[in-house]
Amino acid sequence: MGDGKQARNEEFQSFMVGRWPRLMRTAFLLTGEQHAAEDLVQSTLERVYVSWRRVGAADDPEAYVRRVMINLHARKHRRRLKEFLAPKDDSGLVHEIADTGDRIAQADDRGALLTALAQLPVRQREAVVLRYWEDLTETQAAEAMGCSVGTVKSNAAKGIAKLRAIPGLAETVTHGGRK
């Protein structure tokens, strides 16, 4: 009996260690603040750990974890807690290291892009982050956000349109986004 629990703990730990950087990146893009992102990932993993037997047996545990994270983030937003994408002093931040091949990482000014993301409403930001930064399909993003594919398409399109309207970002969004 103890061996089964230890095996689950090791499986969870392996999952957590392997996914931590990507979960942190997504959480940072959603919350806009390093400490809030860490809290969101930790809260997500805490909830997932409690249900790890079910989560680990799922077809796509990462999608399940992503959905938990989006739900926790949305719940926080519903409480009307204010979010800041870029703190006034970023000296204490651990800056994200982009994945190789990440088109958005090729933007000349990531700070401008992060600031622009902060201006989007939460659902549009979620759709843009999941579709274009995390490179999820519309179906995967819909599952993560708990909405229809049409809602993802609509929110992503509106978000990209708002980003394109920001002077200096139009070229970045056009080259980094899908057409």
Side-chain angles (χ1 to χ4, degrees):
M1 182 114 164
D3 290 337
K5 184 174 182 180
Q6 184 171 346
R8 272 196 314 276
N9 286 343
E10 289 173 4
E11 181 184 347
F12 175 77
Q13 184 176 3
S14 175
F15 176 87
M16 179 188 71
V17 169
R19 303 310 192 286
W20 182 265
R22 187 170 184 159
L23 291 172
M24 276 299 299
R25 179 182 64 199
T26 302
F28 180 79
L29 293 169
L30 292 173
T31 65
E33 203 265 327
Q34 185 71 26
H35 298 293
E38 290 170 357
D39 288 345
L40 179 58
V41 172
Q42 289 174 0
S43 296
T44 299
L45 291 174
E46 180 181 298
R47 289 183 185 224
V48 168
Y49 176 75
V50 172
S51 304
W52 184 249
R53 182 179 294 172
R54 183 179 61 234
V55 176
D59 290 338
D60 188 357
E62 191 169 349
Y64 187 103
V65 172
R66 191 180 308 112
R67 176 71 185 264
V68 170
M69 182 185 299
I70 295 292
N71 287 343
L72 285 173
H73 178 257
R75 198 170 296 126
K76 176 186 172 205
H77 177 71
R78 280 193 290 269
R79 285 190 244 136
R80 304 284 186 218
L81 295 177
K82 193 165 186 174
E83 296 178 352
F84 296 95
L85 191 57
K88 301 214 184 318
D89 176 19
D90 68 351
S91 62
L93 288 180
V94 176
H95 293 283
E96 171 192 356
I97 298 171
D99 293 341
T100 55
D102 182 354
R103 290 183 188 165
I104 296 176
Q106 298 168 1
D108 289 335
D109 190 356
R110 290 173 66 84
L113 183 57
L114 293 173
T115 301
L117 275 173
Q119 297 172 17
L120 297 179
V122 174
R123 294 299 274 181
Q124 288 178 16
R125 184 185 325 157
E126 289 172 356
V128 169
V129 165
L130 293 173
R131 286 285 292 131
Y132 300 103
W133 210 301
E134 291 299 322
D135 202 28
L136 298 181
T137 66
E138 290 165 342
T139 303
Q140 291 170 324
E143 289 172 7
M145 293 173 63
C147 62
S148 70
V149 170
T151 300
V152 170
K153 287 180 179 181
S154 173
N155 279 306
K158 288 175 186 175
I160 291 294
K162 286 182 182 179
L163 292 175
R164 283 185 175 137
I166 296 173
L169 277 185
E171 187 172 313
T172 300
V173 174
T174 302
H175 293 306
R178 293 179 175 90
K179 291 187 178 187

